[in-house]
Amino acid sequence: MAEARSGEIVVLRHGQTEWSRSGQHTGATDLPLLPEGEERARALAPRLGERTFAEVWSSPLQRARRTAELAGLAVTAVDPDLVELDYGGYEGRTTAEISDELGRAWSVWRDPVVPGNTPGETLAQVAARVDRVLARARARLDDGDVALVAHGHVLRVLTARWLGLGPEAGALFALPAGAYGLLGHEHARPVLSGWGL
C-alpha cells in the first residue's frame, strides 16, 4: 500500500481577464489580468501564505505568472505543460458562437476543436501533458505542497487525471477565475480535498 503523502497539490486558476469574463476560449493568446483579476489574486495571498510549498510551477503565460506573483507565490519553474488547451480555430470564440455556427450544442469536453492559426489539441493530448506534471509533482509532495498556477481547462483535466478519471471528466470540475482547489490523499488514495476556494 502506498504511503500517505504529507503535501497537497494546489491548483490555482489565473485571475479574470477580458476573455475569461466574456467566455471566450483563451489558449495561447497572452492576455493580461483585469484589475479585478489582480485584486482577486492579491486576496488569495493570506490563505496561500499559510502553506509550505516545495514547488510553485506556473504556465508561461503572463496571466498565470502575474497571478502567482500577486498571490505571494515564488515561482520555482515555468512549465510549458501547464499552458492552456490549444483551441485551434476556436481561439477567442465563445461556446455559444461555436454552437450557433455548427447548428448544435458544442462542448470542449465532447467535441473536437478545428485547426486555425494553430492545429488545436485533443483532450488526450492535454491529458498526456498533465500526466507528466502530476508525475513530477507527486515526487515532491513529501517535502510540502506543490502549487500549479495555470488555466481553467488544463487544470480541470489535471484534476480528473489526479482522480484516475478520463480527461473528459474535467467537465465536472468548474473552477472560477482567481480560485484554487486542493488535490490530496485520504487513506493513500488521491482525493479532491477542496475546490473553488
Side-chain angles (χ1 to χ4, degrees), residues 33-86:
L33 297 178
L34 291 171
E36 57 263 38
E38 292 191 348
E39 182 180 325
R40 176 69 184 138
R42 280 188 200 94
L44 296 173
R47 286 194 300 190
L48 294 175
E50 297 171 359
R51 296 182 160 272
T52 301
F53 288 101
E55 299 284 350
V56 176
W57 301 334
S58 173
S59 158
L61 299 175
Q62 67 172 313
R63 58 192 183 271
R65 292 190 337 266
R66 181 72 172 143
T67 296
E69 175 189 343
L70 294 171
L73 301 175
V75 173
T76 58
V78 173
D79 190 340
D81 280 340
L82 288 172
V83 76
E84 182 59 295
L85 191 148
D86 179 350

mmCIF file of all heavy atoms in Angstrom, residues 33-86:
data_model
loop_
_atom_site.group_PDB
_atom_site.id
_atom_site.type_symbol
_atom_site.label_atom_id
_atom_site.label_comp_id
_atom_site.label_asym_id
_atom_site.label_seq_id
_atom_site.Cartn_x
_atom_site.Cartn_y
_atom_site.Cartn_z
ATOM 1 N N LEU A 33 -4.130 40.293 -16.862
ATOM 2 C CA LEU A 33 -5.237 40.287 -15.908
ATOM 3 C C LEU A 33 -5.963 41.618 -15.937
ATOM 4 O O LEU A 33 -5.352 42.670 -16.156
ATOM 5 C CB LEU A 33 -4.715 40.057 -14.484
ATOM 6 C CG LEU A 33 -4.023 38.736 -14.195
ATOM 7 C CD1 LEU A 33 -3.528 38.724 -12.749
ATOM 8 C CD2 LEU A 33 -4.943 37.565 -14.454
ATOM 9 N N LEU A 34 -7.262 41.575 -15.697
ATOM 10 C CA LEU A 34 -8.034 42.791 -15.462
ATOM 11 C C LEU A 34 -7.771 43.256 -14.032
ATOM 12 O O LEU A 34 -7.300 42.471 -13.195
ATOM 13 C CB LEU A 34 -9.524 42.511 -15.641
ATOM 14 C CG LEU A 34 -9.994 42.208 -17.059
ATOM 15 C CD1 LEU A 34 -11.451 41.746 -17.043
ATOM 16 C CD2 LEU A 34 -9.832 43.436 -17.943
ATOM 17 N N PRO A 35 -8.084 44.518 -13.694
ATOM 18 C CA PRO A 35 -7.894 44.967 -12.308
ATOM 19 C C PRO A 35 -8.579 44.060 -11.285
ATOM 20 O O PRO A 35 -8.004 43.758 -10.235
ATOM 21 C CB PRO A 35 -8.486 46.374 -12.301
ATOM 22 C CG PRO A 35 -8.294 46.860 -13.712
ATOM 23 C CD PRO A 35 -8.501 45.630 -14.565
ATOM 24 N N GLU A 36 -9.788 43.575 -11.600
ATOM 25 C CA GLU A 36 -10.460 42.673 -10.649
ATOM 26 C C GLU A 36 -9.748 41.330 -10.548
ATOM 27 O O GLU A 36 -9.776 40.671 -9.500
ATOM 28 C CB GLU A 36 -11.942 42.483 -10.981
ATOM 29 C CG GLU A 36 -12.237 41.964 -12.360
ATOM 30 C CD GLU A 36 -12.590 43.033 -13.386
ATOM 31 O OE1 GLU A 36 -11.986 44.133 -13.344
ATOM 32 O OE2 GLU A 36 -13.451 42.771 -14.231
ATOM 33 N N GLY A 37 -9.083 40.906 -11.620
ATOM 34 C CA GLY A 37 -8.284 39.685 -11.577
ATOM 35 C C GLY A 37 -7.071 39.853 -10.686
ATOM 36 O O GLY A 37 -6.705 38.948 -9.933
ATOM 37 N N GLU A 38 -6.451 41.027 -10.759
ATOM 38 C CA GLU A 38 -5.312 41.315 -9.878
ATOM 39 C C GLU A 38 -5.757 41.391 -8.423
ATOM 40 O O GLU A 38 -5.092 40.859 -7.532
ATOM 41 C CB GLU A 38 -4.631 42.614 -10.305
ATOM 42 C CG GLU A 38 -3.928 42.501 -11.641
ATOM 43 C CD GLU A 38 -3.038 43.685 -11.949
ATOM 44 O OE1 GLU A 38 -3.120 44.716 -11.239
ATOM 45 O OE2 GLU A 38 -2.241 43.569 -12.896
ATOM 46 N N GLU A 39 -6.891 42.022 -8.178
ATOM 47 C CA GLU A 39 -7.410 42.146 -6.813
ATOM 48 C C GLU A 39 -7.707 40.771 -6.214
ATOM 49 O O GLU A 39 -7.369 40.497 -5.054
ATOM 50 C CB GLU A 39 -8.678 43.004 -6.825
ATOM 51 C CG GLU A 39 -9.278 43.256 -5.477
ATOM 52 C CD GLU A 39 -10.532 44.120 -5.564
ATOM 53 O OE1 GLU A 39 -10.583 45.009 -6.427
ATOM 54 O OE2 GLU A 39 -11.442 43.878 -4.762
ATOM 55 N N ARG A 40 -8.326 39.907 -7.003
ATOM 56 C CA ARG A 40 -8.655 38.555 -6.525
ATOM 57 C C ARG A 40 -7.385 37.771 -6.215
ATOM 58 O O ARG A 40 -7.315 37.049 -5.220
ATOM 59 C CB ARG A 40 -9.506 37.825 -7.575
ATOM 60 C CG ARG A 40 -9.824 36.402 -7.242
ATOM 61 C CD ARG A 40 -10.780 36.286 -6.077
ATOM 62 N NE ARG A 40 -10.961 34.870 -5.765
ATOM 63 C CZ ARG A 40 -11.000 34.386 -4.546
ATOM 64 N NH1 ARG A 40 -10.931 35.189 -3.517
ATOM 65 N NH2 ARG A 40 -11.138 33.102 -4.338
ATOM 66 N N ALA A 41 -6.360 37.902 -7.050
ATOM 67 C CA ALA A 41 -5.093 37.203 -6.804
ATOM 68 C C ALA A 41 -4.454 37.691 -5.505
ATOM 69 O O ALA A 41 -3.987 36.880 -4.701
ATOM 70 C CB ALA A 41 -4.147 37.405 -7.986
ATOM 71 N N ARG A 42 -4.465 38.991 -5.273
ATOM 72 C CA ARG A 42 -3.915 39.538 -4.023
ATOM 73 C C ARG A 42 -4.673 38.999 -2.808
ATOM 74 O O ARG A 42 -4.080 38.737 -1.763
ATOM 75 C CB ARG A 42 -3.989 41.063 -4.023
ATOM 76 C CG ARG A 42 -2.913 41.739 -4.791
ATOM 77 C CD ARG A 42 -2.940 43.262 -4.582
ATOM 78 N NE ARG A 42 -2.232 43.906 -5.658
ATOM 79 C CZ ARG A 42 -2.795 44.383 -6.765
ATOM 80 N NH1 ARG A 42 -4.099 44.331 -6.942
ATOM 81 N NH2 ARG A 42 -2.062 44.939 -7.697
ATOM 82 N N ALA A 43 -5.981 38.850 -2.946
ATOM 83 C CA ALA A 43 -6.803 38.384 -1.829
ATOM 84 C C ALA A 43 -6.474 36.944 -1.424
ATOM 85 O O ALA A 43 -6.766 36.531 -0.296
ATOM 86 C CB ALA A 43 -8.286 38.497 -2.190
ATOM 87 N N LEU A 44 -5.870 36.170 -2.316
ATOM 88 C CA LEU A 44 -5.506 34.788 -2.003
ATOM 89 C C LEU A 44 -4.228 34.685 -1.184
ATOM 90 O O LEU A 44 -3.974 33.656 -0.552
ATOM 91 C CB LEU A 44 -5.335 33.985 -3.299
ATOM 92 C CG LEU A 44 -6.577 33.806 -4.164
ATOM 93 C CD1 LEU A 44 -6.204 33.144 -5.478
ATOM 94 C CD2 LEU A 44 -7.626 32.996 -3.429
ATOM 95 N N ALA A 45 -3.419 35.733 -1.184
ATOM 96 C CA ALA A 45 -2.099 35.679 -0.545
ATOM 97 C C ALA A 45 -2.147 35.261 0.922
ATOM 98 O O ALA A 45 -1.341 34.411 1.331
ATOM 99 C CB ALA A 45 -1.379 37.012 -0.719
ATOM 100 N N PRO A 46 -3.050 35.788 1.755
ATOM 101 C CA PRO A 46 -3.024 35.367 3.166
ATOM 102 C C PRO A 46 -3.270 33.867 3.361
ATOM 103 O O PRO A 46 -2.570 33.217 4.142
ATOM 104 C CB PRO A 46 -4.144 36.189 3.807
ATOM 105 C CG PRO A 46 -4.295 37.383 2.927
ATOM 106 C CD PRO A 46 -4.004 36.883 1.535
ATOM 107 N N ARG A 47 -4.225 33.299 2.630
ATOM 108 C CA ARG A 47 -4.511 31.864 2.794
ATOM 109 C C ARG A 47 -3.397 31.000 2.225
ATOM 110 O O ARG A 47 -2.996 30.007 2.830
ATOM 111 C CB ARG A 47 -5.849 31.495 2.163
ATOM 112 C CG ARG A 47 -7.019 31.984 3.008
ATOM 113 C CD ARG A 47 -8.290 31.350 2.588
ATOM 114 N NE ARG A 47 -8.586 31.666 1.197
ATOM 115 C CZ ARG A 47 -9.723 31.413 0.602
ATOM 116 N NH1 ARG A 47 -10.695 30.837 1.262
ATOM 117 N NH2 ARG A 47 -9.913 31.730 -0.659
ATOM 118 N N LEU A 48 -2.900 31.367 1.057
ATOM 119 C CA LEU A 48 -1.825 30.573 0.467
ATOM 120 C C LEU A 48 -0.527 30.735 1.254
ATOM 121 O O LEU A 48 0.301 29.824 1.292
ATOM 122 C CB LEU A 48 -1.627 30.960 -0.999
ATOM 123 C CG LEU A 48 -2.799 30.623 -1.913
ATOM 124 C CD1 LEU A 48 -2.550 31.155 -3.314
ATOM 125 C CD2 LEU A 48 -3.077 29.126 -1.944
ATOM 126 N N GLY A 49 -0.358 31.879 1.911
ATOM 127 C CA GLY A 49 0.826 32.134 2.719
ATOM 128 C C GLY A 49 0.930 31.248 3.943
ATOM 129 O O GLY A 49 2.002 31.149 4.563
ATOM 130 N N GLU A 50 -0.142 30.574 4.311
ATOM 131 C CA GLU A 50 -0.138 29.655 5.452
ATOM 132 C C GLU A 50 0.426 28.280 5.093
ATOM 133 O O GLU A 50 0.617 27.446 5.964
ATOM 134 C CB GLU A 50 -1.567 29.483 5.984
ATOM 135 C CG GLU A 50 -2.167 30.763 6.530
ATOM 136 C CD GLU A 50 -3.650 30.635 6.855
ATOM 137 O OE1 GLU A 50 -4.238 29.550 6.636
ATOM 138 O OE2 GLU A 50 -4.219 31.636 7.321
ATOM 139 N N ARG A 51 0.681 28.055 3.817
ATOM 140 C CA ARG A 51 1.160 26.751 3.346
ATOM 141 C C ARG A 51 2.672 26.767 3.126
ATOM 142 O O ARG A 51 3.257 27.817 2.882
ATOM 143 C CB ARG A 51 0.466 26.394 2.033
ATOM 144 C CG ARG A 51 -1.027 26.209 2.191
ATOM 145 C CD ARG A 51 -1.682 25.798 0.869
ATOM 146 N NE ARG A 51 -2.958 25.187 1.152
ATOM 147 C CZ ARG A 51 -3.152 23.895 1.413
ATOM 148 N NH1 ARG A 51 -2.146 23.061 1.393
ATOM 149 N NH2 ARG A 51 -4.346 23.434 1.681
ATOM 150 N N THR A 52 3.262 25.582 3.182
ATOM 151 C CA THR A 52 4.681 25.419 2.885
ATOM 152 C C THR A 52 4.794 24.761 1.514
ATOM 153 O O THR A 52 4.359 23.620 1.333
ATOM 154 C CB THR A 52 5.360 24.521 3.943
ATOM 155 O OG1 THR A 52 5.193 25.142 5.215
ATOM 156 C CG2 THR A 52 6.834 24.350 3.640
ATOM 157 N N PHE A 53 5.341 25.495 0.560
ATOM 158 C CA PHE A 53 5.433 24.998 -0.814
ATOM 159 C C PHE A 53 6.830 24.459 -1.107
ATOM 160 O O PHE A 53 7.823 25.171 -0.948
ATOM 161 C CB PHE A 53 5.082 26.107 -1.811
ATOM 162 C CG PHE A 53 3.623 26.448 -1.815
ATOM 163 C CD1 PHE A 53 3.162 27.576 -1.141
ATOM 164 C CD2 PHE A 53 2.710 25.629 -2.449
ATOM 165 C CE1 PHE A 53 1.805 27.881 -1.127
ATOM 166 C CE2 PHE A 53 1.357 25.921 -2.440
ATOM 167 C CZ PHE A 53 0.907 27.051 -1.775
ATOM 168 N N ALA A 54 6.867 23.218 -1.547
ATOM 169 C CA ALA A 54 8.112 22.624 -2.025
ATOM 170 C C ALA A 54 8.423 23.143 -3.427
ATOM 171 O O ALA A 54 9.585 23.324 -3.783
ATOM 172 C CB ALA A 54 8.001 21.101 -2.042
ATOM 173 N N GLU A 55 7.356 23.375 -4.206
ATOM 174 C CA GLU A 55 7.493 23.860 -5.583
ATOM 175 C C GLU A 55 6.293 24.741 -5.926
ATOM 176 O O GLU A 55 5.184 24.506 -5.425
ATOM 177 C CB GLU A 55 7.512 22.701 -6.589
ATOM 178 C CG GLU A 55 8.639 21.720 -6.426
ATOM 179 C CD GLU A 55 9.980 22.218 -6.926
ATOM 180 O OE1 GLU A 55 10.022 23.280 -7.589
ATOM 181 O OE2 GLU A 55 10.983 21.542 -6.644
ATOM 182 N N VAL A 56 6.529 25.708 -6.792
ATOM 183 C CA VAL A 56 5.459 26.517 -7.385
ATOM 184 C C VAL A 56 5.747 26.575 -8.877
ATOM 185 O O VAL A 56 6.748 27.159 -9.300
ATOM 186 C CB VAL A 56 5.411 27.952 -6.795
ATOM 187 C CG1 VAL A 56 4.344 28.780 -7.515
ATOM 188 C CG2 VAL A 56 5.153 27.916 -5.293
ATOM 189 N N TRP A 57 4.892 25.922 -9.646
ATOM 190 C CA TRP A 57 5.081 25.865 -11.091
ATOM 191 C C TRP A 57 3.982 26.661 -11.765
ATOM 192 O O TRP A 57 2.803 26.560 -11.415
ATOM 193 C CB TRP A 57 5.056 24.427 -11.588
ATOM 194 C CG TRP A 57 6.117 23.571 -10.961
ATOM 195 C CD1 TRP A 57 7.317 23.978 -10.449
ATOM 196 C CD2 TRP A 57 6.073 22.158 -10.768
ATOM 197 N NE1 TRP A 57 8.015 22.907 -9.956
ATOM 198 C CE2 TRP A 57 7.280 21.769 -10.137
ATOM 199 C CE3 TRP A 57 5.135 21.176 -11.073
ATOM 200 C CZ2 TRP A 57 7.569 20.454 -9.802
ATOM 201 C CZ3 TRP A 57 5.420 19.856 -10.744
ATOM 202 C CH2 TRP A 57 6.620 19.506 -10.117
ATOM 203 N N SER A 58 4.364 27.435 -12.758
ATOM 204 C CA SER A 58 3.415 28.289 -13.467
ATOM 205 C C SER A 58 3.438 28.009 -14.960
ATOM 206 O O SER A 58 4.474 27.675 -15.529
ATOM 207 C CB SER A 58 3.772 29.760 -13.231
ATOM 208 O OG SER A 58 2.973 30.617 -14.019
ATOM 209 N N SER A 59 2.279 28.208 -15.578
ATOM 210 C CA SER A 59 2.205 28.284 -17.031
ATOM 211 C C SER A 59 3.096 29.444 -17.477
ATOM 212 O O SER A 59 3.274 30.417 -16.736
ATOM 213 C CB SER A 59 0.752 28.556 -17.435
ATOM 214 O OG SER A 59 0.674 29.120 -18.729
ATOM 215 N N PRO A 60 3.627 29.390 -18.692
ATOM 216 C CA PRO A 60 4.443 30.506 -19.176
ATOM 217 C C PRO A 60 3.656 31.773 -19.496
ATOM 218 O O PRO A 60 4.250 32.842 -19.677
ATOM 219 C CB PRO A 60 5.112 29.951 -20.437
ATOM 220 C CG PRO A 60 4.329 28.765 -20.834
ATOM 221 C CD PRO A 60 3.632 28.251 -19.623
ATOM 222 N N LEU A 61 2.331 31.707 -19.564
ATOM 223 C CA LEU A 61 1.542 32.864 -19.977
ATOM 224 C C LEU A 61 1.426 33.890 -18.849
ATOM 225 O O LEU A 61 1.330 33.542 -17.674
ATOM 226 C CB LEU A 61 0.167 32.411 -20.463
ATOM 227 C CG LEU A 61 0.226 31.476 -21.685
ATOM 228 C CD1 LEU A 61 -1.150 30.961 -22.038
ATOM 229 C CD2 LEU A 61 0.878 32.170 -22.869
ATOM 230 N N GLN A 62 1.422 35.175 -19.240
ATOM 231 C CA GLN A 62 1.502 36.252 -18.257
ATOM 232 C C GLN A 62 0.359 36.251 -17.251
ATOM 233 O O GLN A 62 0.558 36.617 -16.094
ATOM 234 C CB GLN A 62 1.595 37.613 -18.949
ATOM 235 C CG GLN A 62 0.344 38.027 -19.716
ATOM 236 C CD GLN A 62 0.421 39.449 -20.225
ATOM 237 O OE1 GLN A 62 0.781 40.373 -19.502
ATOM 238 N NE2 GLN A 62 0.098 39.637 -21.503
ATOM 239 N N ARG A 63 -0.830 35.826 -17.640
ATOM 240 C CA ARG A 63 -1.940 35.853 -16.700
ATOM 241 C C ARG A 63 -1.722 34.889 -15.539
ATOM 242 O O ARG A 63 -2.137 35.161 -14.409
ATOM 243 C CB ARG A 63 -3.268 35.587 -17.410
ATOM 244 C CG ARG A 63 -3.381 34.284 -18.173
ATOM 245 C CD ARG A 63 -4.628 34.300 -19.065
ATOM 246 N NE ARG A 63 -4.854 33.061 -19.791
ATOM 247 C CZ ARG A 63 -4.367 32.778 -20.987
ATOM 248 N NH1 ARG A 63 -3.598 33.662 -21.618
ATOM 249 N NH2 ARG A 63 -4.660 31.627 -21.579
ATOM 250 N N ALA A 64 -1.047 33.779 -15.789
ATOM 251 C CA ALA A 64 -0.733 32.821 -14.722
ATOM 252 C C ALA A 64 0.451 33.315 -13.886
ATOM 253 O O ALA A 64 0.390 33.288 -12.647
ATOM 254 C CB ALA A 64 -0.439 31.450 -15.312
ATOM 255 N N ARG A 65 1.499 33.764 -14.534
ATOM 256 C CA ARG A 65 2.682 34.226 -13.801
ATOM 257 C C ARG A 65 2.339 35.410 -12.898
ATOM 258 O O ARG A 65 2.778 35.480 -11.750
ATOM 259 C CB ARG A 65 3.807 34.590 -14.777
ATOM 260 C CG ARG A 65 4.385 33.389 -15.500
ATOM 261 C CD ARG A 65 5.667 33.695 -16.303
ATOM 262 N NE ARG A 65 5.850 35.065 -16.683
ATOM 263 C CZ ARG A 65 5.465 35.602 -17.869
ATOM 264 N NH1 ARG A 65 4.860 34.859 -18.773
ATOM 265 N NH2 ARG A 65 5.701 36.863 -18.131
ATOM 266 N N ARG A 66 1.519 36.337 -13.407
ATOM 267 C CA ARG A 66 1.135 37.516 -12.616
ATOM 268 C C ARG A 66 0.236 37.110 -11.445
ATOM 269 O O ARG A 66 0.353 37.662 -10.348
ATOM 270 C CB ARG A 66 0.423 38.525 -13.520
ATOM 271 C CG ARG A 66 -0.008 39.791 -12.835
ATOM 272 C CD ARG A 66 1.166 40.685 -12.510
ATOM 273 N NE ARG A 66 0.678 41.974 -12.014
ATOM 274 C CZ ARG A 66 1.262 42.661 -11.050
ATOM 275 N NH1 ARG A 66 2.380 42.219 -10.502
ATOM 276 N NH2 ARG A 66 0.771 43.819 -10.645
ATOM 277 N N THR A 67 -0.640 36.140 -11.655
ATOM 278 C CA THR A 67 -1.489 35.654 -10.564
ATOM 279 C C THR A 67 -0.621 35.077 -9.454
ATOM 280 O O THR A 67 -0.845 35.366 -8.268
ATOM 281 C CB THR A 67 -2.493 34.603 -11.086
ATOM 282 O OG1 THR A 67 -3.378 35.243 -12.015
ATOM 283 C CG2 THR A 67 -3.302 33.989 -9.957
ATOM 284 N N ALA A 68 0.359 34.270 -9.813
ATOM 285 C CA ALA A 68 1.265 33.695 -8.808
ATOM 286 C C ALA A 68 1.963 34.802 -8.023
ATOM 287 O O ALA A 68 1.999 34.769 -6.786
ATOM 288 C CB ALA A 68 2.284 32.783 -9.488
ATOM 289 N N GLU A 69 2.478 35.780 -8.733
ATOM 290 C CA GLU A 69 3.199 36.881 -8.090
ATOM 291 C C GLU A 69 2.297 37.621 -7.099
ATOM 292 O O GLU A 69 2.668 37.836 -5.941
ATOM 293 C CB GLU A 69 3.706 37.843 -9.169
ATOM 294 C CG GLU A 69 4.367 39.090 -8.639
ATOM 295 C CD GLU A 69 4.658 40.110 -9.739
ATOM 296 O OE1 GLU A 69 4.645 39.747 -10.932
ATOM 297 O OE2 GLU A 69 4.883 41.275 -9.390
ATOM 298 N N LEU A 70 1.098 37.991 -7.540
ATOM 299 C CA LEU A 70 0.191 38.757 -6.681
ATOM 300 C C LEU A 70 -0.330 37.934 -5.509
ATOM 301 O O LEU A 70 -0.650 38.477 -4.449
ATOM 302 C CB LEU A 70 -0.973 39.298 -7.505
ATOM 303 C CG LEU A 70 -0.603 40.339 -8.550
ATOM 304 C CD1 LEU A 70 -1.791 40.651 -9.445
ATOM 305 C CD2 LEU A 70 -0.065 41.607 -7.889
ATOM 306 N N ALA A 71 -0.406 36.617 -5.688
ATOM 307 C CA ALA A 71 -0.856 35.733 -4.611
ATOM 308 C C ALA A 71 0.270 35.404 -3.635
ATOM 309 O O ALA A 71 0.075 34.640 -2.694
ATOM 310 C CB ALA A 71 -1.442 34.449 -5.194
ATOM 311 N N GLY A 72 1.450 35.981 -3.877
ATOM 312 C CA GLY A 72 2.570 35.798 -2.958
ATOM 313 C C GLY A 72 3.338 34.508 -3.150
ATOM 314 O O GLY A 72 4.074 34.081 -2.258
ATOM 315 N N LEU A 73 3.209 33.902 -4.323
ATOM 316 C CA LEU A 73 3.887 32.636 -4.602
ATOM 317 C C LEU A 73 5.159 32.884 -5.411
ATOM 318 O O LEU A 73 5.111 33.530 -6.456
ATOM 319 C CB LEU A 73 2.964 31.698 -5.377
ATOM 320 C CG LEU A 73 1.649 31.336 -4.693
ATOM 321 C CD1 LEU A 73 0.782 30.508 -5.641
ATOM 322 C CD2 LEU A 73 1.913 30.588 -3.397
ATOM 323 N N ALA A 74 6.268 32.373 -4.932
ATOM 324 C CA ALA A 74 7.540 32.496 -5.637
ATOM 325 C C ALA A 74 7.662 31.324 -6.614
ATOM 326 O O ALA A 74 7.847 30.178 -6.201
ATOM 327 C CB ALA A 74 8.697 32.486 -4.652
ATOM 328 N N VAL A 75 7.522 31.605 -7.895
ATOM 329 C CA VAL A 75 7.563 30.565 -8.929
ATOM 330 C C VAL A 75 8.958 29.942 -8.973
ATOM 331 O O VAL A 75 9.957 30.643 -9.112
ATOM 332 C CB VAL A 75 7.163 31.140 -10.304
ATOM 333 C CG1 VAL A 75 7.374 30.122 -11.413
ATOM 334 C CG2 VAL A 75 5.713 31.606 -10.264
ATOM 335 N N THR A 76 9.009 28.608 -8.836
ATOM 336 C CA THR A 76 10.277 27.882 -8.906
ATOM 337 C C THR A 76 10.556 27.355 -10.313
ATOM 338 O O THR A 76 11.697 27.055 -10.632
ATOM 339 C CB THR A 76 10.303 26.720 -7.896
ATOM 340 O OG1 THR A 76 9.202 25.842 -8.167
ATOM 341 C CG2 THR A 76 10.208 27.233 -6.467
ATOM 342 N N ALA A 77 9.502 27.242 -11.146
ATOM 343 C CA ALA A 77 9.688 26.789 -12.532
ATOM 344 C C ALA A 77 8.504 27.232 -13.380
ATOM 345 O O ALA A 77 7.367 27.237 -12.921
ATOM 346 C CB ALA A 77 9.832 25.269 -12.597
ATOM 347 N N VAL A 78 8.807 27.614 -14.602
ATOM 348 C CA VAL A 78 7.776 27.893 -15.608
ATOM 349 C C VAL A 78 7.673 26.621 -16.442
ATOM 350 O O VAL A 78 8.666 26.147 -16.995
ATOM 351 C CB VAL A 78 8.155 29.113 -16.467
ATOM 352 C CG1 VAL A 78 7.176 29.293 -17.612
ATOM 353 C CG2 VAL A 78 8.203 30.372 -15.595
ATOM 354 N N ASP A 79 6.466 26.058 -16.490
ATOM 355 C CA ASP A 79 6.271 24.739 -17.095
ATOM 356 C C ASP A 79 5.351 24.827 -18.306
ATOM 357 O O ASP A 79 4.157 25.064 -18.167
ATOM 358 C CB ASP A 79 5.679 23.791 -16.047
ATOM 359 C CG ASP A 79 5.668 22.352 -16.500
ATOM 360 O OD1 ASP A 79 5.750 22.093 -17.721
ATOM 361 O OD2 ASP A 79 5.571 21.471 -15.622
ATOM 362 N N PRO A 80 5.872 24.618 -19.513
ATOM 363 C CA PRO A 80 5.035 24.679 -20.715
ATOM 364 C C PRO A 80 3.931 23.627 -20.729
ATOM 365 O O PRO A 80 2.940 23.781 -21.438
ATOM 366 C CB PRO A 80 6.010 24.485 -21.872
ATOM 367 C CG PRO A 80 7.270 23.978 -21.281
ATOM 368 C CD PRO A 80 7.291 24.361 -19.836
ATOM 369 N N ASP A 81 4.059 22.559 -19.939
ATOM 370 C CA ASP A 81 2.996 21.555 -19.868
ATOM 371 C C ASP A 81 1.746 22.108 -19.180
ATOM 372 O O ASP A 81 0.685 21.496 -19.258
ATOM 373 C CB ASP A 81 3.471 20.302 -19.125
ATOM 374 C CG ASP A 81 4.297 19.372 -20.004
ATOM 375 O OD1 ASP A 81 4.190 19.471 -21.244
ATOM 376 O OD2 ASP A 81 5.046 18.551 -19.451
ATOM 377 N N LEU A 82 1.858 23.251 -18.520
ATOM 378 C CA LEU A 82 0.703 23.856 -17.839
ATOM 379 C C LEU A 82 -0.025 24.898 -18.687
ATOM 380 O O LEU A 82 -0.980 25.519 -18.227
ATOM 381 C CB LEU A 82 1.145 24.492 -16.514
ATOM 382 C CG LEU A 82 1.507 23.508 -15.410
ATOM 383 C CD1 LEU A 82 2.110 24.243 -14.215
ATOM 384 C CD2 LEU A 82 0.286 22.703 -14.989
ATOM 385 N N VAL A 83 0.401 25.094 -19.929
ATOM 386 C CA VAL A 83 -0.280 26.053 -20.795
ATOM 387 C C VAL A 83 -1.713 25.556 -21.056
ATOM 388 O O VAL A 83 -1.999 24.364 -20.960
ATOM 389 C CB VAL A 83 0.512 26.281 -22.100
ATOM 390 C CG1 VAL A 83 0.352 25.138 -23.073
ATOM 391 C CG2 VAL A 83 0.144 27.600 -22.736
ATOM 392 N N GLU A 84 -2.598 26.475 -21.364
ATOM 393 C CA GLU A 84 -3.996 26.115 -21.597
ATOM 394 C C GLU A 84 -4.146 25.276 -22.864
ATOM 395 O O GLU A 84 -3.281 25.275 -23.743
ATOM 396 C CB GLU A 84 -4.842 27.392 -21.716
ATOM 397 C CG GLU A 84 -6.334 27.182 -21.910
ATOM 398 C CD GLU A 84 -7.037 26.394 -20.804
ATOM 399 O OE1 GLU A 84 -6.727 25.195 -20.636
ATOM 400 O OE2 GLU A 84 -7.911 26.968 -20.143
ATOM 401 N N LEU A 85 -5.246 24.550 -22.948
ATOM 402 C CA LEU A 85 -5.611 23.771 -24.118
ATOM 403 C C LEU A 85 -5.486 24.635 -25.377
ATOM 404 O O LEU A 85 -5.856 25.808 -25.357
ATOM 405 C CB LEU A 85 -7.061 23.304 -23.935
ATOM 406 C CG LEU A 85 -7.629 22.273 -24.881
ATOM 407 C CD1 LEU A 85 -8.651 21.422 -24.126
ATOM 408 C CD2 LEU A 85 -8.301 22.914 -26.058
ATOM 409 N N ASP A 86 -4.971 24.056 -26.441
ATOM 410 C CA ASP A 86 -4.882 24.741 -27.734
ATOM 411 C C ASP A 86 -6.239 24.595 -28.425
ATOM 412 O O ASP A 86 -6.612 23.510 -28.855
ATOM 413 C CB ASP A 86 -3.771 24.114 -28.575
ATOM 414 C CG ASP A 86 -3.617 24.752 -29.943
ATOM 415 O OD1 ASP A 86 -4.483 25.565 -30.363
ATOM 416 O OD2 ASP A 86 -2.637 24.423 -30.628
#
